[in-house]
Amino acid sequence: MATETASTCTGSTLLQPISDIINLPLDQVNFVVCQLFALLTAVWFRLYLHPSKTSTFVRHVVATLLGFYLALFCFGWYALHFLVQSGLSYSIMIFAGLEHMHKYCFVVALGYLSFCQITRVYVFDYSMYSADFTGPMMVITQKITSLAFEIHDGLAKKEEQLSSSQRYLAVRRMPSLLEYLSYSCNFMGILAGPTCSYNDYMAFMEGTGYHSITEANGKENGKYKINHPSPKSDVISKLCTCVISLGVYLSIYKMVPVERSIDDSFISSTPFYQQVIYLYLSMLSLRPKYFFVWTLADAINNAAGFGFNGYTRQGIPRWDRISNLRIMDIEFATSFKTFLDNWNIQTALWLKRVCYERCPINPTAATFLLSAIWHGVYPGYYLTFLTGIAMTMAARAIRHNVRPHFQGSLTHQRIYDVITWAGTQVAICYTVVPFVLLAVETSLKFYKSWYFCIHLLCLLLVLLLPVKPRHLRAKEQQANSLEVDSLQPDSGKHNHHSATDNNCNQKHKST
């Protein structure tokens, strides 16, 4: 199987013997080896190209050239698409007016990504890649569009028009071509991200990211300040997580594949409650694949010195500024929103910043639609995100109408948490099945085997349970926050997750 895949692989064939020995597609072998090489290079980059030892210019040049090398090694000349997409967008930033530049960049970057995804799936044989070249383009698209909006906020808007987080993220000067390419195509994030804000990246490259971490409200994050903390322990911890995640995925998922859920004999011979349990176990063993990729990417950035996020109250350095997931919060999430807030965090923040916070009409639906377009052209993606809209609305209705009745005692709260945890896990599994199956026919077959029961339940909940309009919820949340702050003398109490939630330590997220 590995040999067949290698015949269509346009990346380097240097690792073909290893691919044959371990019987894995060459694309996957190239990806993992390149990420391990990036990890070692990141350590060298932090130690020998530290801002105190070399210029920012040299750091940008090295990070960019290494990024392009890794891209060429993995994807061959398909990596030129990264340059074309980046070049087109940068030209728009330079030559288009500031008033509408961000919109043009958004359309061109997302449009070029969609063009590549369409040609890969429908023009060429989409099965030729196990690790396709549009994956890195998805992260580059996030960075390009984020930067375009940040430049627009910094150069075309007045201060009073910006929220506190937008003021923090706003870019006050046009980046040079080298800075732009370094930001979008550096070796630390070219293959698997994660995305980050331009200001955070520049602070890292210039060596100012260690001085202090400031929250959106101007308060310093943590009372301990040490100039250059070591990421060693965090990197080792994340690499251990990678090893465990990869082991779980490779050893368990093949025993409980999602595809079995649509097998006719399985459906006809298995009681419904066992089908539910099977689906949960299948998704539980599938998620470690993403844990491995994102945690390794996070470790690479940390090893280079990027991702420092201040200190805990005990003075322990935090390296979660650009982390993409929080595994325990995912597995024990008690609401649909909590799960999404801790899964692919940087993508959720990108969607929030470029769409949810700026869309004047039905931002929830617009955000899910943008997410589907960004992910690709497989029909299963759209089924998942359409279902996600219904899930989000139903979960919101439950939280606003049912949760208050369980807050009377700790026992009632625990009962509510157990019930909502089980419901959330089943809802997530049900929602993402089309995302895994990809095709319409197989996805609808699965939903039919469940009689569309959760879809119907969501519809009933949305119709029967009232939910306050978004602007009223925001006012109520703000009033409650002010009331809590007035009652607590230690109002600067630190939230462990607040900084990761949005790179600028904004503490409140939209509900």
Side-chain angles (χ1 to χ4, degrees):
M1 183 177 70
T3 304
E4 293 174 358
T5 306
S7 64
T8 57
C9 175
T10 58
S12 173
T13 58
L14 180 65
L15 302 176
Q16 181 62 56
I18 297 177
S19 174
D20 293 336
I21 292 172
I22 63 178
N23 195 30
L24 283 177
L26 180 59
D27 304 88
Q28 293 181 6
V29 174
N30 282 349
F31 172 82
V32 173
V33 170
C34 280
Q35 285 294 76
L36 294 177
F37 172 78
L39 177 67
L40 297 176
T41 305
V43 176
W44 169 82
F45 190 83
R46 180 174 63 86
L47 295 178
Y48 296 98
L49 291 184
H50 192 273
S52 63
K53 298 180 180 180
T54 188
S55 67
T56 303
F57 174 81
V58 172
R59 284 167 61 84
H60 280 307
V61 170
V62 172
T64 305
L65 292 179
L66 285 173
F68 286 134
Y69 172 76
L70 293 180
L72 283 170
F73 190 92
C74 278
F75 306 107
W77 294 111
Y78 279 97
L80 289 177
H81 286 292
F82 307 167
L83 277 177
V84 173
Q85 184 188 35
S86 300
L88 288 173
S89 299
Y90 188 71
S91 299
I92 293 173
M93 292 180 186
I94 296 297
F95 297 110
L98 289 173
E99 188 64 29
H100 301 291
M101 170 270 295
H102 59 302
K103 298 177 184 177
Y104 299 151
C105 278
F106 181 85
V107 172
V108 169
L110 191 64
Y112 193 81
L113 171 65
S114 297
F115 167 76
C116 290
Q117 290 171 331
I118 290 170
T119 55
R120 188 184 69 85
V121 173
Y122 295 111
V123 178
F124 303 105
D125 179 12
Y126 65 81
S127 64
M128 66 184 290
Y129 278 112
S130 56
D132 72 88
F133 71 95
T134 60
M137 289 183 67
M138 293 166 69
V139 179
I140 294 174
T141 299
Q142 289 182 339
K143 292 183 176 181
I144 290 172
T145 53
S146 295
L147 178 58
F149 277 94
E150 290 162 5
I151 293 174
H152 174 73
D153 290 342
L155 299 179
K157 281 188 173 182
K158 298 179 180 179
E159 286 290 315
E160 57 268 21
Q161 294 177 298
L162 304 176
S163 66
S164 58
S165 62
Q166 288 171 345
R167 281 194 292 272
Y168 175 88
L169 296 168
V171 176
R172 308 295 178 178
R173 68 171 180 85
M174 189 66 67
S176 68
L177 179 60
L178 176 61
E179 291 170 337
Y180 171 80
L181 290 176
S182 175
Y183 168 63
S184 59
C185 299
N186 64 80
F187 76 94
M188 300 169 293
I190 185 68
L191 297 182
T195 191
C196 61
S197 75
Y198 178 78
N199 284 342
D200 282 343
Y201 181 75
M202 288 302 295
F204 154 69
M205 294 299 284
E206 294 169 358
T208 60
Y210 296 108
H211 293 169
S212 64
I213 304 297
T214 304
E215 297 183 358
N217 61 6
K219 296 179 181 178
E220 191 175 285
N221 181 353
K223 60 183 179 181
Y224 293 87
K225 292 184 294 182
I226 305 173
N227 276 338
H228 299 288
S230 172
K232 179 180 177 181
S233 60
D234 287 79
V235 171
I236 293 174
S237 174
K238 290 173 183 179
L239 291 179
C240 290
T241 300
C242 290
V243 172
I244 295 172
S245 298
L246 186 62
V248 170
Y249 171 69
L250 292 178
S251 61
I252 297 179
Y253 181 68
K254 61 184 179 182
M255 297 188 292
V256 284
V258 175
E259 290 76 13
R260 193 183 175 199
S261 296
I262 57 172
D263 181 74
D264 290 329
S265 61
F266 176 80
I267 295 173
S268 60
S269 62
T270 308
F272 183 71
Y273 77 92
Q274 290 186 12
Q275 294 184 40
V276 174
I277 295 174
Y278 178 88
L279 181 64
Y280 170 70
L281 294 176
S282 179
M283 292 300 178
L284 186 66
S285 60
L286 175 62
R287 286 196 286 268
K289 177 176 73 170
Y290 300 93
F291 297 165
F292 167 76
V293 173
W294 290 335
T295 305
L296 179 57
D298 194 19
I300 292 169
N301 281 272
N302 292 168
F306 188 28
F308 176 66
N309 198 29
Y311 296 85
T312 65
R313 298 183 70 85
Q314 293 73 36
I316 301 173
R318 294 170 55 202
W319 289 89
D320 59 356
R321 193 165 187 78
I322 56 173
S323 295
N324 229 355
L325 76 167
R326 292 186 284 265
I327 295 176
M328 298 306 293
D329 290 340
I330 288 171
E331 300 302 342
F332 293 99
T334 57
S335 73
F336 201 80
K337 179 181 182 298
T338 300
F339 188 101
L340 297 181
D341 285 348
N342 294 286
W343 173 269
N344 205 354
I345 295 170
Q346 302 307 321
T347 293
L349 292 175
W350 170 71
L351 291 168
K352 176 185 175 184
R353 291 167 182 164
V354 304
C355 184
Y356 188 87
E357 292 181 338
R358 302 176 190 265
C359 184
I361 302 174
N362 204 339
T364 298
T367 301
F368 274 106
L369 178 61
L370 172 59
S371 184
I373 295 173
W374 174 78
H375 274 91
V377 294
Y378 290 110
Y381 294 161
Y382 293 84
L383 282 176
T384 286
F385 291 111
L386 286 173
T387 303
I389 296 173
M391 292 290 182
T392 300
M393 296 174 66
R396 187 177 295 161
I398 292 174
R399 181 174 180 82
H400 284 258
N401 290 275
V402 178
R403 185 174 180 271
H405 299 290
F406 285 84
Q407 300 306 300
S409 69
L410 183 61
T411 301
H412 289 168
Q413 291 178 23
R414 293 292 179 262
I415 293 173
Y416 177 84
D417 288 343
V418 171
I419 295 173
T420 52
W421 171 81
T424 296
Q425 297 303 319
V426 173
I428 288 291
C429 295
Y430 179 89
T431 301
V432 301
V433 166
F435 195 95
V436 178
L437 298 179
L438 299 177
V440 172
E441 182 180 357
T442 52
S443 300
L444 292 180
K445 181 179 181 181
F446 168 78
Y447 282 147
K448 286 178 182 177
S449 71
W450 282 49
Y451 303 101
F452 291 91
C453 59
I454 299 185
H455 282 92
L456 296 175
L457 179 61
C458 289
L459 180 61
L460 287 175
L461 290 172
V462 171
L463 292 176
L464 297 179
L465 299 180
V467 177
K468 293 180 180 179
R470 182 187 175 195
H471 67 281
L472 294 179
R473 296 199 310 271
K475 287 182 179 179
E476 192 175 273
Q477 183 182 22
Q478 185 177 9
N480 291 337
S481 177
L482 292 174
E483 182 179 351
V484 170
D485 286 345
S486 66
L487 294 175
Q488 294 181 354
D490 186 14
S491 59
K493 189 174 182 179
H494 188 75
N495 184 342
H496 178 72
H497 295 323
S498 62
T500 313
D501 279 349
N502 62 2
N503 284 14
C504 64
N505 302 335
Q506 179 184 345
K507 286 192 174 181
H508 300 294
K509 300 184 75 175
S510 300
T511 303

